[in-house]
Every structure is written in C-alpha cells, then in structure tokens.
Amino acid sequence: MADDKKHAEIDAALVRQLAEILNETDLTEVEVERGELRIRVAREVTVNAAPVQYAAAPAPVAAPAAAAAAPVSMPSDPATIVARAGEEVKSPMVGTAYLQPSPEAAPFVQPGDKVKKGQTLLIVEAMKTMNPIQAPRDGVVADVLVGDAQPVEFGEALVLLEA
C-alpha cells in the first residue's frame, strides 16, 4: 500500500506541474508518458467561439449584392475550397513551425514539390522537442500555409496537398 501512496503523490505533483506549464505557456494541452504512466492535462478554450459567431453574422447581411456576383467566380473557388477541406495537413499540436531543418538549410518542401507518403513537410517544435510533420499520402504541395518560425495552434492547417 505504501507504494500506491507514493505513486499517487508523484502523480499529483506531476499533474500540478503540467497545469502550471499550461498556464505559463498558454498551451491548450500537454501530455507526459513515463513507462506505463501516461498523464494528459488539457483545458477547453472557448474564448474564440463567441467572436467567430459574431464576426460571421454581419458578412451575409453586409454583402447581399456581392453574394449574387460570387457564383460567377465560383467555378475555380469550389476546387480550392474542396482541396483545403479535404487535403490540409494540420498541426497535431501547439508549437512553432519550422520550414527547414536549420536556418541555413533549404526548406523541406516548397509549392510545386512532389512528395511521398511519410516525407517530412516541416517541423513543429513543442516544449523543445522537434516533431516532424509528415505527408499523409503522395501528392504535390499546393501551398505552404505557415511561415518559418511561426507559432501554430492545434489543428491549424500547415500545408495544402493536391493529388
């Protein structure tokens, strides 16, 4: 039983440390794994929900004439919208995106490059750990949607792939 209490104390201290990291760095989640022990601390960020709904409401009201003109240019836009919706490579974590392995090196990929499944597209640094972001499938890089050394959020689109 003393061993169980020891683990509970260690876990509580680790949880407190992880919570402090969340507060100090404005991360939305952090996860630690030690042997069989795995602890994930996350917080829900709802601050962005209200402004997005508020900002979206005026757009249709403010531009009814523009909505009528939009279908004329839509033939090229739906392809872009579909590609962005189905073929974005998104960040699996909060961190900083780096487009090249070192400041003096060439970028991992550029628009127009053909990539293979598993090829490194860029790196996201999180808590001093470099995490390669790999191509989920073969394709062509249509666009790199982030800049070098740019902070990124969980789920943010990083690269756009085409067939």
Side-chain angles (χ1 to χ4, degrees), residues 88-93 96-97 99 121-124 133 141 143-147 150-153 155-160:
E88 292 176 338
V89 178
K90 297 182 178 187
S91 180
M93 65 196 72
T96 303
L99 304 181
L121 302 173
L122 52 92
I123 294 173
V124 174
I133 306 303
V141 176
D143 200 5
V144 177
L145 304 171
V146 294
Q150 174 182 326
V152 294
E153 290 293 323
E156 182 175 342
L158 303 172
V159 176
L160 183 61

mmCIF file of all heavy atoms in Angstrom, residues 88-93 96-97 99 121-124 133 141 143-147 150-153 155-160:
data_model
loop_
_atom_site.group_PDB
_atom_site.id
_atom_site.type_symbol
_atom_site.label_atom_id
_atom_site.label_comp_id
_atom_site.label_asym_id
_atom_site.label_seq_id
_atom_site.Cartn_x
_atom_site.Cartn_y
_atom_site.Cartn_z
ATOM 1 N N GLU A 88 -5.805 19.310 -46.297
ATOM 2 C CA GLU A 88 -4.917 20.109 -45.456
ATOM 3 C C GLU A 88 -4.136 19.190 -44.536
ATOM 4 O O GLU A 88 -4.684 18.246 -43.984
ATOM 5 C CB GLU A 88 -5.718 21.080 -44.581
ATOM 6 C CG GLU A 88 -6.407 22.168 -45.354
ATOM 7 C CD GLU A 88 -7.276 23.044 -44.460
ATOM 8 O OE1 GLU A 88 -7.673 22.587 -43.371
ATOM 9 O OE2 GLU A 88 -7.548 24.180 -44.847
ATOM 10 N N VAL A 89 -2.862 19.465 -44.386
ATOM 11 C CA VAL A 89 -2.063 18.769 -43.378
ATOM 12 C C VAL A 89 -2.072 19.695 -42.174
ATOM 13 O O VAL A 89 -1.601 20.833 -42.251
ATOM 14 C CB VAL A 89 -0.626 18.510 -43.874
ATOM 15 C CG1 VAL A 89 0.190 17.836 -42.778
ATOM 16 C CG2 VAL A 89 -0.647 17.672 -45.145
ATOM 17 N N LYS A 90 -2.640 19.208 -41.070
ATOM 18 C CA LYS A 90 -2.861 20.066 -39.901
ATOM 19 C C LYS A 90 -1.858 19.775 -38.797
ATOM 20 O O LYS A 90 -1.325 18.678 -38.701
ATOM 21 C CB LYS A 90 -4.285 19.878 -39.378
ATOM 22 C CG LYS A 90 -5.325 20.312 -40.399
ATOM 23 C CD LYS A 90 -6.714 20.184 -39.866
ATOM 24 C CE LYS A 90 -7.714 20.675 -40.909
ATOM 25 N NZ LYS A 90 -9.057 20.709 -40.377
ATOM 26 N N SER A 91 -1.651 20.776 -37.973
ATOM 27 C CA SER A 91 -0.735 20.627 -36.848
ATOM 28 C C SER A 91 -1.352 19.732 -35.777
ATOM 29 O O SER A 91 -2.461 19.981 -35.327
ATOM 30 C CB SER A 91 -0.403 21.993 -36.248
ATOM 31 O OG SER A 91 0.478 21.830 -35.157
ATOM 32 N N PRO A 92 -0.617 18.717 -35.333
ATOM 33 C CA PRO A 92 -1.133 17.844 -34.285
ATOM 34 C C PRO A 92 -0.913 18.404 -32.884
ATOM 35 O O PRO A 92 -1.256 17.775 -31.901
ATOM 36 C CB PRO A 92 -0.322 16.560 -34.485
ATOM 37 C CG PRO A 92 0.981 17.039 -35.029
ATOM 38 C CD PRO A 92 0.648 18.240 -35.878
ATOM 39 N N MET A 93 -0.321 19.611 -32.813
ATOM 40 C CA MET A 93 0.000 20.177 -31.503
ATOM 41 C C MET A 93 0.182 21.683 -31.601
ATOM 42 O O MET A 93 0.284 22.246 -32.691
ATOM 43 C CB MET A 93 1.294 19.552 -30.979
ATOM 44 C CG MET A 93 2.513 19.889 -31.833
ATOM 45 S SD MET A 93 3.927 18.839 -31.551
ATOM 46 C CE MET A 93 3.390 17.324 -32.301
ATOM 47 N N THR A 96 5.784 25.800 -32.586
ATOM 48 C CA THR A 96 6.363 26.722 -33.557
ATOM 49 C C THR A 96 6.753 25.932 -34.795
ATOM 50 O O THR A 96 7.447 24.917 -34.692
ATOM 51 C CB THR A 96 7.610 27.417 -32.978
ATOM 52 O OG1 THR A 96 7.240 28.092 -31.777
ATOM 53 C CG2 THR A 96 8.183 28.427 -33.962
ATOM 54 N N ALA A 97 6.290 26.382 -35.960
ATOM 55 C CA ALA A 97 6.569 25.689 -37.216
ATOM 56 C C ALA A 97 7.907 26.158 -37.786
ATOM 57 O O ALA A 97 8.207 27.353 -37.786
ATOM 58 C CB ALA A 97 5.456 25.958 -38.223
ATOM 59 N N LEU A 99 10.179 25.572 -41.340
ATOM 60 C CA LEU A 99 10.083 25.068 -42.701
ATOM 61 C C LEU A 99 11.352 24.387 -43.188
ATOM 62 O O LEU A 99 11.367 23.796 -44.259
ATOM 63 C CB LEU A 99 9.710 26.211 -43.651
ATOM 64 C CG LEU A 99 8.421 26.963 -43.296
ATOM 65 C CD1 LEU A 99 8.148 28.057 -44.318
ATOM 66 C CD2 LEU A 99 7.239 26.015 -43.187
ATOM 67 N N LEU A 121 7.386 17.318 -44.181
ATOM 68 C CA LEU A 121 6.960 18.560 -44.826
ATOM 69 C C LEU A 121 7.516 19.784 -44.086
ATOM 70 O O LEU A 121 7.862 20.782 -44.691
ATOM 71 C CB LEU A 121 5.431 18.635 -44.853
ATOM 72 C CG LEU A 121 4.713 17.481 -45.566
ATOM 73 C CD1 LEU A 121 3.217 17.578 -45.370
ATOM 74 C CD2 LEU A 121 5.076 17.464 -47.040
ATOM 75 N N LEU A 122 7.554 19.684 -42.760
ATOM 76 C CA LEU A 122 8.075 20.741 -41.898
ATOM 77 C C LEU A 122 8.213 20.169 -40.501
ATOM 78 O O LEU A 122 7.924 18.997 -40.275
ATOM 79 C CB LEU A 122 7.173 21.981 -41.909
ATOM 80 C CG LEU A 122 5.684 21.791 -41.625
ATOM 81 C CD1 LEU A 122 5.390 21.947 -40.154
ATOM 82 C CD2 LEU A 122 4.894 22.816 -42.403
ATOM 83 N N ILE A 123 8.641 20.994 -39.567
ATOM 84 C CA ILE A 123 8.808 20.565 -38.174
ATOM 85 C C ILE A 123 7.984 21.496 -37.297
ATOM 86 O O ILE A 123 7.935 22.698 -37.535
ATOM 87 C CB ILE A 123 10.295 20.656 -37.744
ATOM 88 C CG1 ILE A 123 11.135 19.660 -38.519
ATOM 89 C CG2 ILE A 123 10.447 20.434 -36.251
ATOM 90 C CD1 ILE A 123 12.626 19.802 -38.262
ATOM 91 N N VAL A 124 7.344 20.925 -36.271
ATOM 92 C CA VAL A 124 6.686 21.735 -35.247
ATOM 93 C C VAL A 124 7.427 21.473 -33.938
ATOM 94 O O VAL A 124 7.502 20.331 -33.481
ATOM 95 C CB VAL A 124 5.185 21.419 -35.106
ATOM 96 C CG1 VAL A 124 4.585 22.180 -33.930
ATOM 97 C CG2 VAL A 124 4.447 21.782 -36.389
ATOM 98 N N ILE A 133 6.468 16.800 -39.221
ATOM 99 C CA ILE A 133 5.109 16.669 -39.743
ATOM 100 C C ILE A 133 5.250 16.040 -41.119
ATOM 101 O O ILE A 133 5.885 16.601 -42.016
ATOM 102 C CB ILE A 133 4.405 18.042 -39.833
ATOM 103 C CG1 ILE A 133 4.452 18.762 -38.484
ATOM 104 C CG2 ILE A 133 2.978 17.873 -40.345
ATOM 105 C CD1 ILE A 133 3.856 18.001 -37.320
ATOM 106 N N VAL A 141 2.696 19.519 -53.304
ATOM 107 C CA VAL A 141 2.487 20.622 -52.369
ATOM 108 C C VAL A 141 1.877 21.786 -53.138
ATOM 109 O O VAL A 141 2.518 22.358 -54.017
ATOM 110 C CB VAL A 141 3.819 21.051 -51.698
ATOM 111 C CG1 VAL A 141 3.596 22.260 -50.805
ATOM 112 C CG2 VAL A 141 4.418 19.903 -50.918
ATOM 113 N N ASP A 143 0.498 24.496 -51.499
ATOM 114 C CA ASP A 143 0.843 25.718 -50.778
ATOM 115 C C ASP A 143 1.353 25.363 -49.394
ATOM 116 O O ASP A 143 0.933 24.367 -48.800
ATOM 117 C CB ASP A 143 -0.397 26.614 -50.655
ATOM 118 C CG ASP A 143 -0.052 28.071 -50.369
ATOM 119 O OD1 ASP A 143 1.149 28.423 -50.360
ATOM 120 O OD2 ASP A 143 -0.990 28.857 -50.158
ATOM 121 N N VAL A 144 2.274 26.173 -48.912
ATOM 122 C CA VAL A 144 2.713 26.096 -47.523
ATOM 123 C C VAL A 144 1.998 27.250 -46.837
ATOM 124 O O VAL A 144 2.187 28.411 -47.195
ATOM 125 C CB VAL A 144 4.247 26.218 -47.403
ATOM 126 C CG1 VAL A 144 4.662 26.205 -45.944
ATOM 127 C CG2 VAL A 144 4.933 25.094 -48.175
ATOM 128 N N LEU A 145 1.132 26.929 -45.877
ATOM 129 C CA LEU A 145 0.206 27.901 -45.306
ATOM 130 C C LEU A 145 0.735 28.639 -44.082
ATOM 131 O O LEU A 145 0.037 29.490 -43.542
ATOM 132 C CB LEU A 145 -1.112 27.194 -44.953
ATOM 133 C CG LEU A 145 -1.768 26.449 -46.128
ATOM 134 C CD1 LEU A 145 -2.930 25.604 -45.636
ATOM 135 C CD2 LEU A 145 -2.209 27.420 -47.199
ATOM 136 N N VAL A 146 1.947 28.315 -43.641
ATOM 137 C CA VAL A 146 2.543 28.979 -42.476
ATOM 138 C C VAL A 146 3.939 29.481 -42.849
ATOM 139 O O VAL A 146 4.546 29.000 -43.793
ATOM 140 C CB VAL A 146 2.644 28.031 -41.259
ATOM 141 C CG1 VAL A 146 1.272 27.647 -40.762
ATOM 142 C CG2 VAL A 146 3.462 26.803 -41.564
ATOM 143 N N GLY A 147 4.404 30.441 -42.081
ATOM 144 C CA GLY A 147 5.742 30.967 -42.286
ATOM 145 C C GLY A 147 6.744 30.283 -41.365
ATOM 146 O O GLY A 147 6.376 29.625 -40.393
ATOM 147 N N GLN A 150 6.868 30.450 -37.243
ATOM 148 C CA GLN A 150 5.541 30.979 -36.904
ATOM 149 C C GLN A 150 4.884 30.094 -35.849
ATOM 150 O O GLN A 150 4.883 28.878 -35.972
ATOM 151 C CB GLN A 150 4.662 31.010 -38.152
ATOM 152 C CG GLN A 150 3.220 31.416 -37.873
ATOM 153 C CD GLN A 150 2.365 31.380 -39.136
ATOM 154 O OE1 GLN A 150 2.844 31.659 -40.220
ATOM 155 N NE2 GLN A 150 1.101 31.025 -38.972
ATOM 156 N N PRO A 151 4.288 30.699 -34.813
ATOM 157 C CA PRO A 151 3.533 29.901 -33.843
ATOM 158 C C PRO A 151 2.300 29.292 -34.515
ATOM 159 O O PRO A 151 1.667 29.940 -35.352
ATOM 160 C CB PRO A 151 3.108 30.914 -32.782
ATOM 161 C CG PRO A 151 3.924 32.128 -33.026
ATOM 162 C CD PRO A 151 4.337 32.109 -34.456
ATOM 163 N N VAL A 152 1.999 28.043 -34.164
ATOM 164 C CA VAL A 152 0.831 27.373 -34.721
ATOM 165 C C VAL A 152 0.008 26.770 -33.602
ATOM 166 O O VAL A 152 0.517 26.437 -32.538
ATOM 167 C CB VAL A 152 1.222 26.277 -35.746
ATOM 168 C CG1 VAL A 152 1.879 26.891 -36.971
ATOM 169 C CG2 VAL A 152 2.124 25.225 -35.141
ATOM 170 N N GLU A 153 -1.279 26.627 -33.854
ATOM 171 C CA GLU A 153 -2.215 26.047 -32.899
ATOM 172 C C GLU A 153 -2.531 24.612 -33.296
ATOM 173 O O GLU A 153 -2.356 24.214 -34.449
ATOM 174 C CB GLU A 153 -3.522 26.862 -32.886
ATOM 175 C CG GLU A 153 -3.385 28.232 -32.286
ATOM 176 C CD GLU A 153 -3.095 28.191 -30.798
ATOM 177 O OE1 GLU A 153 -3.642 27.322 -30.089
ATOM 178 O OE2 GLU A 153 -2.309 29.031 -30.335
ATOM 179 N N GLY A 155 -4.490 21.751 -34.748
ATOM 180 C CA GLY A 155 -5.497 21.696 -35.798
ATOM 181 C C GLY A 155 -5.345 22.751 -36.887
ATOM 182 O O GLY A 155 -6.106 22.760 -37.838
ATOM 183 N N GLU A 156 -4.362 23.629 -36.758
ATOM 184 C CA GLU A 156 -4.155 24.678 -37.769
ATOM 185 C C GLU A 156 -3.588 24.055 -39.044
ATOM 186 O O GLU A 156 -2.696 23.214 -39.009
ATOM 187 C CB GLU A 156 -3.193 25.725 -37.231
ATOM 188 C CG GLU A 156 -2.945 26.874 -38.190
ATOM 189 C CD GLU A 156 -2.087 27.969 -37.592
ATOM 190 O OE1 GLU A 156 -1.952 28.044 -36.355
ATOM 191 O OE2 GLU A 156 -1.537 28.760 -38.376
ATOM 192 N N ALA A 157 -4.114 24.474 -40.209
ATOM 193 C CA ALA A 157 -3.627 23.975 -41.496
ATOM 194 C C ALA A 157 -2.206 24.476 -41.722
ATOM 195 O O ALA A 157 -1.927 25.666 -41.579
ATOM 196 C CB ALA A 157 -4.538 24.442 -42.608
ATOM 197 N N LEU A 158 -1.307 23.551 -42.080
ATOM 198 C CA LEU A 158 0.097 23.896 -42.288
ATOM 199 C C LEU A 158 0.477 23.847 -43.768
ATOM 200 O O LEU A 158 1.162 24.726 -44.266
ATOM 201 C CB LEU A 158 0.992 22.906 -41.522
ATOM 202 C CG LEU A 158 0.752 22.795 -40.025
ATOM 203 C CD1 LEU A 158 1.562 21.645 -39.438
ATOM 204 C CD2 LEU A 158 1.087 24.103 -39.335
ATOM 205 N N VAL A 159 0.050 22.788 -44.439
ATOM 206 C CA VAL A 159 0.412 22.554 -45.841
ATOM 207 C C VAL A 159 -0.840 22.096 -46.575
ATOM 208 O O VAL A 159 -1.647 21.342 -46.036
ATOM 209 C CB VAL A 159 1.529 21.493 -45.962
ATOM 210 C CG1 VAL A 159 1.842 21.175 -47.399
ATOM 211 C CG2 VAL A 159 2.792 21.963 -45.247
ATOM 212 N N LEU A 160 -0.966 22.506 -47.826
ATOM 213 C CA LEU A 160 -2.078 22.078 -48.676
ATOM 214 C C LEU A 160 -1.542 21.127 -49.725
ATOM 215 O O LEU A 160 -0.616 21.478 -50.463
ATOM 216 C CB LEU A 160 -2.731 23.298 -49.314
ATOM 217 C CG LEU A 160 -3.950 23.055 -50.179
ATOM 218 C CD1 LEU A 160 -5.071 22.428 -49.368
ATOM 219 C CD2 LEU A 160 -4.415 24.358 -50.797
#
